Amino acid sequence: VQLQASGGGLVQAGGSLRLSCAASGRTFISSYDMGWFRQAPGKEREFVAAIRGRGGSTYYADSVKGRFTISRDNAKKTVYLQMNSLKPEDTAVYYCAGTLGIILSTVRSQMAYDYWGQGTQVTVSS
């Protein structure tokens, strides 16, 4: 599975962006558990959001809950991260990740994901 993240850019505080993560290959993306992580300069990579392959349950970091929405379009093999009400502290490189059969207790752990996209830069100006 190859993942390609896109959609990053420069936006003012309060603005919106939608990130996309496209999967390539002969992949039934609908079976995959997908996540978004981010890494700000000088900080460790952190969990942002995840969506289960089975059932489509979603999970969010407290810092983005109510502002970000993760979704998927299985026909397009694409997972999205809609980011609204962006804040300067959301500035980071955003990575998408995927795996099969994730253990629910590990959905927020980057160690649980086997496949990673290359990252897309999101910069929020104040």
Side-chain angles (χ1 to χ4, degrees):
V1 176
Q2 288 82 44
L3 302 176
Q4 178 79 29
S6 62
L10 174 64
V11 64
Q12 288 187 334
S16 298
L17 281 174
R18 187 177 78 160
L19 305 184
S20 299
C21 177
S24 61
R26 299 175 64 181
T27 304
F28 293 99
I29 194 65
S30 59
S31 301
Y32 280 72
D33 304 303
M34 302 296 294
W36 285 96
F37 292 77
R38 67 186 182 186
Q39 187 167 18
K43 296 186 177 181
E44 294 186 353
R45 190 175 299 184
E46 64 175 5
F47 169 78
V48 176
I51 185 167
R52 298 292 302 275
R54 292 187 175 183
S57 297
T58 57
Y59 308 86
Y60 297 94
D62 289 343
S63 59
V64 307
K65 198 173 295 183
R67 299 187 298 122
F68 290 11
T69 302
I70 188 171
S71 62
R72 63 196 305 156
D73 185 333
N74 292 328
K76 295 183 177 179
K77 297 185 179 180
T78 302
V79 175
Y80 302 99
L81 184 68
Q82 177 67 44
M83 305 186 295
N84 298 327
S85 301
L86 282 161
K87 305 175 181 180
E89 51 263 45
D90 294 317
T91 295
V93 177
Y94 283 70
Y95 299 89
C96 62
T99 191
L100 280 171
I102 199 169
I103 298 173
L104 184 56
S105 62
T106 67
V107 72
R108 292 174 173 82
S109 171
Q110 56 181 312
M111 299 298 291
Y113 295 83
D114 298 311
Y115 306 100
W116 290 82
Q118 85 289 1
T120 184
Q121 175 71 47
V122 172
T123 303
V124 184
S125 63
S126 58

PDB file of all heavy atoms in Angstrom, residues 59-91:
ATOM      1  N   TYR A  59     -12.060   8.733  15.820  1.00  0.00           N
ATOM      2  CA  TYR A  59     -11.389   9.071  17.063  1.00  0.00           C
ATOM      3  C   TYR A  59     -10.595  10.344  16.831  1.00  0.00           C
ATOM      4  O   TYR A  59     -10.027  10.537  15.748  1.00  0.00           O
ATOM      5  CB  TYR A  59     -10.450   7.933  17.482  1.00  0.00           C
ATOM      6  CG  TYR A  59     -11.135   6.597  17.516  1.00  0.00           C
ATOM      7  CD1 TYR A  59     -11.236   5.807  16.373  1.00  0.00           C
ATOM      8  CD2 TYR A  59     -11.714   6.121  18.692  1.00  0.00           C
ATOM      9  CE1 TYR A  59     -11.894   4.597  16.389  1.00  0.00           C
ATOM     10  CE2 TYR A  59     -12.375   4.899  18.720  1.00  0.00           C
ATOM     11  CZ  TYR A  59     -12.460   4.150  17.566  1.00  0.00           C
ATOM     12  OH  TYR A  59     -13.109   2.948  17.575  1.00  0.00           O
ATOM     13  N   TYR A  60     -10.542  11.195  17.834  1.00  0.00           N
ATOM     14  CA  TYR A  60      -9.875  12.480  17.689  1.00  0.00           C
ATOM     15  C   TYR A  60      -9.025  12.798  18.909  1.00  0.00           C
ATOM     16  O   TYR A  60      -9.366  12.422  20.033  1.00  0.00           O
ATOM     17  CB  TYR A  60     -10.893  13.601  17.500  1.00  0.00           C
ATOM     18  CG  TYR A  60     -11.711  13.466  16.245  1.00  0.00           C
ATOM     19  CD1 TYR A  60     -12.948  12.832  16.249  1.00  0.00           C
ATOM     20  CD2 TYR A  60     -11.229  13.976  15.036  1.00  0.00           C
ATOM     21  CE1 TYR A  60     -13.688  12.697  15.087  1.00  0.00           C
ATOM     22  CE2 TYR A  60     -11.972  13.850  13.876  1.00  0.00           C
ATOM     23  CZ  TYR A  60     -13.201  13.209  13.908  1.00  0.00           C
ATOM     24  OH  TYR A  60     -13.929  13.086  12.765  1.00  0.00           O
ATOM     25  N   ALA A  61      -7.967  13.537  18.664  1.00  0.00           N
ATOM     26  CA  ALA A  61      -7.225  14.117  19.780  1.00  0.00           C
ATOM     27  C   ALA A  61      -8.071  15.224  20.389  1.00  0.00           C
ATOM     28  O   ALA A  61      -8.834  15.898  19.681  1.00  0.00           O
ATOM     29  CB  ALA A  61      -5.896  14.684  19.286  1.00  0.00           C
ATOM     30  N   ASP A  62      -7.958  15.420  21.670  1.00  0.00           N
ATOM     31  CA  ASP A  62      -8.747  16.449  22.342  1.00  0.00           C
ATOM     32  C   ASP A  62      -8.498  17.827  21.741  1.00  0.00           C
ATOM     33  O   ASP A  62      -9.406  18.657  21.685  1.00  0.00           O
ATOM     34  CB  ASP A  62      -8.409  16.467  23.838  1.00  0.00           C
ATOM     35  CG  ASP A  62      -8.949  15.252  24.568  1.00  0.00           C
ATOM     36  OD1 ASP A  62      -9.842  14.559  24.020  1.00  0.00           O
ATOM     37  OD2 ASP A  62      -8.481  14.981  25.680  1.00  0.00           O
ATOM     38  N   SER A  63      -7.287  18.059  21.279  1.00  0.00           N
ATOM     39  CA  SER A  63      -6.925  19.382  20.769  1.00  0.00           C
ATOM     40  C   SER A  63      -7.626  19.746  19.466  1.00  0.00           C
ATOM     41  O   SER A  63      -7.678  20.923  19.097  1.00  0.00           O
ATOM     42  CB  SER A  63      -5.411  19.465  20.575  1.00  0.00           C
ATOM     43  OG  SER A  63      -4.978  18.464  19.668  1.00  0.00           O
ATOM     44  N   VAL A  64      -8.162  18.744  18.762  1.00  0.00           N
ATOM     45  CA  VAL A  64      -8.804  19.021  17.470  1.00  0.00           C
ATOM     46  C   VAL A  64     -10.285  18.666  17.465  1.00  0.00           C
ATOM     47  O   VAL A  64     -10.979  18.951  16.477  1.00  0.00           O
ATOM     48  CB  VAL A  64      -8.094  18.283  16.317  1.00  0.00           C
ATOM     49  CG1 VAL A  64      -6.602  18.594  16.326  1.00  0.00           C
ATOM     50  CG2 VAL A  64      -8.336  16.777  16.382  1.00  0.00           C
ATOM     51  N   LYS A  65     -10.763  18.051  18.531  1.00  0.00           N
ATOM     52  CA  LYS A  65     -12.151  17.612  18.586  1.00  0.00           C
ATOM     53  C   LYS A  65     -13.082  18.798  18.410  1.00  0.00           C
ATOM     54  O   LYS A  65     -12.898  19.850  19.026  1.00  0.00           O
ATOM     55  CB  LYS A  65     -12.405  16.912  19.920  1.00  0.00           C
ATOM     56  CG  LYS A  65     -13.628  16.034  19.961  1.00  0.00           C
ATOM     57  CD  LYS A  65     -13.682  15.261  21.263  1.00  0.00           C
ATOM     58  CE  LYS A  65     -12.547  14.281  21.400  1.00  0.00           C
ATOM     59  NZ  LYS A  65     -12.615  13.472  22.636  1.00  0.00           N
ATOM     60  N   GLY A  66     -14.059  18.631  17.528  1.00  0.00           N
ATOM     61  CA  GLY A  66     -14.997  19.716  17.244  1.00  0.00           C
ATOM     62  C   GLY A  66     -14.558  20.638  16.129  1.00  0.00           C
ATOM     63  O   GLY A  66     -15.352  21.430  15.620  1.00  0.00           O
ATOM     64  N   ARG A  67     -13.292  20.550  15.745  1.00  0.00           N
ATOM     65  CA  ARG A  67     -12.781  21.397  14.659  1.00  0.00           C
ATOM     66  C   ARG A  67     -12.388  20.581  13.434  1.00  0.00           C
ATOM     67  O   ARG A  67     -12.530  21.051  12.304  1.00  0.00           O
ATOM     68  CB  ARG A  67     -11.560  22.191  15.141  1.00  0.00           C
ATOM     69  CG  ARG A  67     -11.834  23.116  16.299  1.00  0.00           C
ATOM     70  CD  ARG A  67     -10.615  23.989  16.605  1.00  0.00           C
ATOM     71  NE  ARG A  67      -9.446  23.221  16.998  1.00  0.00           N
ATOM     72  CZ  ARG A  67      -8.269  23.272  16.356  1.00  0.00           C
ATOM     73  NH1 ARG A  67      -8.134  24.044  15.286  1.00  0.00           N
ATOM     74  NH2 ARG A  67      -7.246  22.553  16.777  1.00  0.00           N
ATOM     75  N   PHE A  68     -11.885  19.372  13.645  1.00  0.00           N
ATOM     76  CA  PHE A  68     -11.427  18.514  12.560  1.00  0.00           C
ATOM     77  C   PHE A  68     -12.403  17.354  12.370  1.00  0.00           C
ATOM     78  O   PHE A  68     -12.985  16.857  13.340  1.00  0.00           O
ATOM     79  CB  PHE A  68     -10.055  17.937  12.860  1.00  0.00           C
ATOM     80  CG  PHE A  68      -8.915  18.928  12.841  1.00  0.00           C
ATOM     81  CD1 PHE A  68      -9.129  20.301  12.794  1.00  0.00           C
ATOM     82  CD2 PHE A  68      -7.590  18.478  12.876  1.00  0.00           C
ATOM     83  CE1 PHE A  68      -8.082  21.193  12.787  1.00  0.00           C
ATOM     84  CE2 PHE A  68      -6.532  19.361  12.867  1.00  0.00           C
ATOM     85  CZ  PHE A  68      -6.789  20.722  12.828  1.00  0.00           C
ATOM     86  N   THR A  69     -12.522  16.904  11.124  1.00  0.00           N
ATOM     87  CA  THR A  69     -13.367  15.757  10.812  1.00  0.00           C
ATOM     88  C   THR A  69     -12.633  14.834   9.864  1.00  0.00           C
ATOM     89  O   THR A  69     -12.175  15.259   8.802  1.00  0.00           O
ATOM     90  CB  THR A  69     -14.687  16.199  10.168  1.00  0.00           C
ATOM     91  OG1 THR A  69     -15.376  17.096  11.037  1.00  0.00           O
ATOM     92  CG2 THR A  69     -15.573  14.987   9.898  1.00  0.00           C
ATOM     93  N   ILE A  70     -12.515  13.577  10.246  1.00  0.00           N
ATOM     94  CA  ILE A  70     -11.919  12.576   9.376  1.00  0.00           C
ATOM     95  C   ILE A  70     -13.027  11.815   8.680  1.00  0.00           C
ATOM     96  O   ILE A  70     -14.066  11.518   9.273  1.00  0.00           O
ATOM     97  CB  ILE A  70     -10.988  11.626  10.172  1.00  0.00           C
ATOM     98  CG1 ILE A  70     -10.216  10.702   9.219  1.00  0.00           C
ATOM     99  CG2 ILE A  70     -11.771  10.825  11.210  1.00  0.00           C
ATOM    100  CD1 ILE A  70      -9.123   9.893   9.912  1.00  0.00           C
ATOM    101  N   SER A  71     -12.815  11.521   7.407  1.00  0.00           N
ATOM    102  CA  SER A  71     -13.811  10.776   6.647  1.00  0.00           C
ATOM    103  C   SER A  71     -13.091   9.979   5.563  1.00  0.00           C
ATOM    104  O   SER A  71     -11.892  10.130   5.351  1.00  0.00           O
ATOM    105  CB  SER A  71     -14.840  11.725   6.011  1.00  0.00           C
ATOM    106  OG  SER A  71     -14.204  12.604   5.094  1.00  0.00           O
ATOM    107  N   ARG A  72     -13.847   9.138   4.894  1.00  0.00           N
ATOM    108  CA  ARG A  72     -13.237   8.323   3.847  1.00  0.00           C
ATOM    109  C   ARG A  72     -14.197   8.133   2.689  1.00  0.00           C
ATOM    110  O   ARG A  72     -15.403   8.123   2.879  1.00  0.00           O
ATOM    111  CB  ARG A  72     -12.796   6.980   4.415  1.00  0.00           C
ATOM    112  CG  ARG A  72     -13.920   6.111   4.946  1.00  0.00           C
ATOM    113  CD  ARG A  72     -13.395   4.990   5.845  1.00  0.00           C
ATOM    114  NE  ARG A  72     -12.397   4.185   5.160  1.00  0.00           N
ATOM    115  CZ  ARG A  72     -11.467   3.471   5.781  1.00  0.00           C
ATOM    116  NH1 ARG A  72     -11.414   3.467   7.092  1.00  0.00           N
ATOM    117  NH2 ARG A  72     -10.608   2.756   5.106  1.00  0.00           N
ATOM    118  N   ASP A  73     -13.630   7.986   1.507  1.00  0.00           N
ATOM    119  CA  ASP A  73     -14.386   7.632   0.304  1.00  0.00           C
ATOM    120  C   ASP A  73     -13.724   6.385  -0.241  1.00  0.00           C
ATOM    121  O   ASP A  73     -12.692   6.461  -0.919  1.00  0.00           O
ATOM    122  CB  ASP A  73     -14.342   8.787  -0.701  1.00  0.00           C
ATOM    123  CG  ASP A  73     -15.202   8.528  -1.926  1.00  0.00           C
ATOM    124  OD1 ASP A  73     -15.409   7.340  -2.266  1.00  0.00           O
ATOM    125  OD2 ASP A  73     -15.654   9.495  -2.552  1.00  0.00           O
ATOM    126  N   ASN A  74     -14.295   5.243   0.060  1.00  0.00           N
ATOM    127  CA  ASN A  74     -13.664   3.973  -0.314  1.00  0.00           C
ATOM    128  C   ASN A  74     -13.591   3.794  -1.825  1.00  0.00           C
ATOM    129  O   ASN A  74     -12.647   3.192  -2.337  1.00  0.00           O
ATOM    130  CB  ASN A  74     -14.405   2.818   0.332  1.00  0.00           C
ATOM    131  CG  ASN A  74     -14.226   2.806   1.842  1.00  0.00           C
ATOM    132  OD1 ASN A  74     -13.193   3.216   2.353  1.00  0.00           O
ATOM    133  ND2 ASN A  74     -15.244   2.348   2.548  1.00  0.00           N
ATOM    134  N   ALA A  75     -14.569   4.311  -2.547  1.00  0.00           N
ATOM    135  CA  ALA A  75     -14.560   4.192  -4.008  1.00  0.00           C
ATOM    136  C   ALA A  75     -13.364   4.930  -4.607  1.00  0.00           C
ATOM    137  O   ALA A  75     -12.792   4.507  -5.610  1.00  0.00           O
ATOM    138  CB  ALA A  75     -15.857   4.719  -4.588  1.00  0.00           C
ATOM    139  N   LYS A  76     -12.985   6.031  -3.977  1.00  0.00           N
ATOM    140  CA  LYS A  76     -11.843   6.818  -4.440  1.00  0.00           C
ATOM    141  C   LYS A  76     -10.559   6.431  -3.726  1.00  0.00           C
ATOM    142  O   LYS A  76      -9.506   7.026  -3.980  1.00  0.00           O
ATOM    143  CB  LYS A  76     -12.119   8.307  -4.246  1.00  0.00           C
ATOM    144  CG  LYS A  76     -13.263   8.844  -5.091  1.00  0.00           C
ATOM    145  CD  LYS A  76     -13.429  10.348  -4.882  1.00  0.00           C
ATOM    146  CE  LYS A  76     -14.538  10.888  -5.783  1.00  0.00           C
ATOM    147  NZ  LYS A  76     -14.746  12.352  -5.603  1.00  0.00           N
ATOM    148  N   LYS A  77     -10.638   5.471  -2.798  1.00  0.00           N
ATOM    149  CA  LYS A  77      -9.463   5.041  -2.029  1.00  0.00           C
ATOM    150  C   LYS A  77      -8.797   6.244  -1.352  1.00  0.00           C
ATOM    151  O   LYS A  77      -7.568   6.357  -1.340  1.00  0.00           O
ATOM    152  CB  LYS A  77      -8.448   4.315  -2.913  1.00  0.00           C
ATOM    153  CG  LYS A  77      -8.943   3.022  -3.527  1.00  0.00           C
ATOM    154  CD  LYS A  77      -7.831   2.326  -4.289  1.00  0.00           C
ATOM    155  CE  LYS A  77      -8.283   1.029  -4.891  1.00  0.00           C
ATOM    156  NZ  LYS A  77      -7.189   0.352  -5.641  1.00  0.00           N
ATOM    157  N   THR A  78      -9.601   7.088  -0.791  1.00  0.00           N
ATOM    158  CA  THR A  78      -9.084   8.331  -0.224  1.00  0.00           C
ATOM    159  C   THR A  78      -9.674   8.581   1.152  1.00  0.00           C
ATOM    160  O   THR A  78     -10.870   8.352   1.376  1.00  0.00           O
ATOM    161  CB  THR A  78      -9.387   9.519  -1.147  1.00  0.00           C
ATOM    162  OG1 THR A  78      -8.804   9.279  -2.428  1.00  0.00           O
ATOM    163  CG2 THR A  78      -8.814  10.814  -0.584  1.00  0.00           C
ATOM    164  N   VAL A  79      -8.821   9.048   2.046  1.00  0.00           N
ATOM    165  CA  VAL A  79      -9.237   9.464   3.373  1.00  0.00           C
ATOM    166  C   VAL A  79      -8.992  10.969   3.473  1.00  0.00           C
ATOM    167  O   VAL A  79      -7.980  11.471   2.974  1.00  0.00           O
ATOM    168  CB  VAL A  79      -8.455   8.715   4.459  1.00  0.00           C
ATOM    169  CG1 VAL A  79      -8.802   9.241   5.840  1.00  0.00           C
ATOM    170  CG2 VAL A  79      -8.746   7.227   4.370  1.00  0.00           C
ATOM    171  N   TYR A  80      -9.916  11.662   4.113  1.00  0.00           N
ATOM    172  CA  TYR A  80      -9.837  13.114   4.196  1.00  0.00           C
ATOM    173  C   TYR A  80      -9.707  13.561   5.651  1.00  0.00           C
ATOM    174  O   TYR A  80     -10.166  12.882   6.576  1.00  0.00           O
ATOM    175  CB  TYR A  80     -11.089  13.752   3.602  1.00  0.00           C
ATOM    176  CG  TYR A  80     -11.337  13.366   2.168  1.00  0.00           C
ATOM    177  CD1 TYR A  80     -12.253  12.359   1.848  1.00  0.00           C
ATOM    178  CD2 TYR A  80     -10.662  14.007   1.130  1.00  0.00           C
ATOM    179  CE1 TYR A  80     -12.486  12.011   0.537  1.00  0.00           C
ATOM    180  CE2 TYR A  80     -10.901  13.659  -0.190  1.00  0.00           C
ATOM    181  CZ  TYR A  80     -11.805  12.654  -0.481  1.00  0.00           C
ATOM    182  OH  TYR A  80     -12.022  12.310  -1.792  1.00  0.00           O
ATOM    183  N   LEU A  81      -9.125  14.731   5.804  1.00  0.00           N
ATOM    184  CA  LEU A  81      -9.129  15.405   7.107  1.00  0.00           C
ATOM    185  C   LEU A  81      -9.558  16.844   6.858  1.00  0.00           C
ATOM    186  O   LEU A  81      -8.782  17.636   6.310  1.00  0.00           O
ATOM    187  CB  LEU A  81      -7.755  15.358   7.770  1.00  0.00           C
ATOM    188  CG  LEU A  81      -7.715  15.968   9.180  1.00  0.00           C
ATOM    189  CD1 LEU A  81      -8.518  15.094  10.153  1.00  0.00           C
ATOM    190  CD2 LEU A  81      -6.271  16.114   9.680  1.00  0.00           C
ATOM    191  N   GLN A  82     -10.801  17.122   7.204  1.00  0.00           N
ATOM    192  CA  GLN A  82     -11.324  18.480   7.091  1.00  0.00           C
ATOM    193  C   GLN A  82     -10.939  19.238   8.353  1.00  0.00           C
ATOM    194  O   GLN A  82     -11.300  18.818   9.465  1.00  0.00           O
ATOM    195  CB  GLN A  82     -12.837  18.450   6.917  1.00  0.00           C
ATOM    196  CG  GLN A  82     -13.475  19.825   6.859  1.00  0.00           C
ATOM    197  CD  GLN A  82     -13.088  20.607   5.613  1.00  0.00           C
ATOM    198  OE1 GLN A  82     -13.067  20.062   4.512  1.00  0.00           O
ATOM    199  NE2 GLN A  82     -12.775  21.889   5.770  1.00  0.00           N
ATOM    200  N   MET A  83     -10.235  20.330   8.180  1.00  0.00           N
ATOM    201  CA  MET A  83      -9.747  21.100   9.318  1.00  0.00           C
ATOM    202  C   MET A  83     -10.370  22.492   9.279  1.00  0.00           C
ATOM    203  O   MET A  83     -10.128  23.255   8.338  1.00  0.00           O
ATOM    204  CB  MET A  83      -8.216  21.188   9.263  1.00  0.00           C
ATOM    205  CG  MET A  83      -7.530  19.835   9.177  1.00  0.00           C
ATOM    206  SD  MET A  83      -5.734  19.939   9.289  1.00  0.00           S
ATOM    207  CE  MET A  83      -5.371  20.852   7.798  1.00  0.00           C
ATOM    208  N   ASN A  84     -11.161  22.783  10.269  1.00  0.00           N
ATOM    209  CA  ASN A  84     -11.813  24.090  10.385  1.00  0.00           C
ATOM    210  C   ASN A  84     -11.304  24.828  11.615  1.00  0.00           C
ATOM    211  O   ASN A  84     -10.704  24.234  12.509  1.00  0.00           O
ATOM    212  CB  ASN A  84     -13.329  23.909  10.481  1.00  0.00           C
ATOM    213  CG  ASN A  84     -13.921  23.247   9.259  1.00  0.00           C
ATOM    214  OD1 ASN A  84     -13.439  23.431   8.141  1.00  0.00           O
ATOM    215  ND2 ASN A  84     -14.983  22.479   9.468  1.00  0.00           N
ATOM    216  N   SER A  85     -11.562  26.116  11.647  1.00  0.00           N
ATOM    217  CA  SER A  85     -11.168  26.952  12.791  1.00  0.00           C
ATOM    218  C   SER A  85      -9.702  26.727  13.152  1.00  0.00           C
ATOM    219  O   SER A  85      -9.355  26.519  14.319  1.00  0.00           O
ATOM    220  CB  SER A  85     -12.057  26.647  13.997  1.00  0.00           C
ATOM    221  OG  SER A  85     -13.419  26.878  13.700  1.00  0.00           O
ATOM    222  N   LEU A  86      -8.866  26.759  12.148  1.00  0.00           N
ATOM    223  CA  LEU A  86      -7.459  26.456  12.361  1.00  0.00           C
ATOM    224  C   LEU A  86      -6.788  27.487  13.254  1.00  0.00           C
ATOM    225  O   LEU A  86      -7.128  28.688  13.223  1.00  0.00           O
ATOM    226  CB  LEU A  86      -6.731  26.374  11.022  1.00  0.00           C
ATOM    227  CG  LEU A  86      -6.967  25.051  10.266  1.00  0.00           C
ATOM    228  CD1 LEU A  86      -6.634  25.198   8.795  1.00  0.00           C
ATOM    229  CD2 LEU A  86      -6.180  23.927  10.894  1.00  0.00           C
ATOM    230  N   LYS A  87      -5.838  27.003  14.042  1.00  0.00           N
ATOM    231  CA  LYS A  87      -5.089  27.828  14.972  1.00  0.00           C
ATOM    232  C   LYS A  87      -3.600  27.756  14.641  1.00  0.00           C
ATOM    233  O   LYS A  87      -3.149  26.767  14.050  1.00  0.00           O
ATOM    234  CB  LYS A  87      -5.308  27.322  16.402  1.00  0.00           C
ATOM    235  CG  LYS A  87      -6.755  27.236  16.827  1.00  0.00           C
ATOM    236  CD  LYS A  87      -6.874  26.602  18.210  1.00  0.00           C
ATOM    237  CE  LYS A  87      -8.314  26.486  18.652  1.00  0.00           C
ATOM    238  NZ  LYS A  87      -8.441  25.868  20.001  1.00  0.00           N
ATOM    239  N   PRO A  88      -2.834  28.749  15.020  1.00  0.00           N
ATOM    240  CA  PRO A  88      -1.388  28.690  14.771  1.00  0.00           C
ATOM    241  C   PRO A  88      -0.747  27.428  15.339  1.00  0.00           C
ATOM    242  O   PRO A  88       0.196  26.892  14.736  1.00  0.00           O
ATOM    243  CB  PRO A  88      -0.872  29.946  15.463  1.00  0.00           C
ATOM    244  CG  PRO A  88      -2.009  30.910  15.381  1.00  0.00           C
ATOM    245  CD  PRO A  88      -3.241  30.055  15.564  1.00  0.00           C
ATOM    246  N   GLU A  89      -1.257  26.930  16.443  1.00  0.00           N
ATOM    247  CA  GLU A  89      -0.682  25.718  17.037  1.00  0.00           C
ATOM    248  C   GLU A  89      -0.995  24.458  16.234  1.00  0.00           C
ATOM    249  O   GLU A  89      -0.495  23.379  16.554  1.00  0.00           O
ATOM    250  CB  GLU A  89      -1.150  25.539  18.486  1.00  0.00           C
ATOM    251  CG  GLU A  89      -2.651  25.638  18.684  1.00  0.00           C
ATOM    252  CD  GLU A  89      -3.081  27.034  19.132  1.00  0.00           C
ATOM    253  OE1 GLU A  89      -2.582  28.030  18.550  1.00  0.00           O
ATOM    254  OE2 GLU A  89      -3.929  27.101  20.042  1.00  0.00           O
ATOM    255  N   ASP A  90      -1.827  24.570  15.195  1.00  0.00           N
ATOM    256  CA  ASP A  90      -2.063  23.435  14.297  1.00  0.00           C
ATOM    257  C   ASP A  90      -0.968  23.326  13.234  1.00  0.00           C
ATOM    258  O   ASP A  90      -0.952  22.368  12.459  1.00  0.00           O
ATOM    259  CB  ASP A  90      -3.417  23.569  13.598  1.00  0.00           C
ATOM    260  CG  ASP A  90      -4.577  23.479  14.560  1.00  0.00           C
ATOM    261  OD1 ASP A  90      -4.545  22.614  15.458  1.00  0.00           O
ATOM    262  OD2 ASP A  90      -5.536  24.264  14.405  1.00  0.00           O
ATOM    263  N   THR A  91      -0.075  24.299  13.190  1.00  0.00           N
ATOM    264  CA  THR A  91       1.017  24.268  12.225  1.00  0.00           C
ATOM    265  C   THR A  91       1.890  23.051  12.443  1.00  0.00           C
ATOM    266  O   THR A  91       2.384  22.817  13.551  1.00  0.00           O
ATOM    267  CB  THR A  91       1.863  25.544  12.343  1.00  0.00           C
ATOM    268  OG1 THR A  91       1.072  26.674  11.977  1.00  0.00           O
ATOM    269  CG2 THR A  91       3.088  25.479  11.447  1.00  0.00           C
TER     270      THR A  91
END
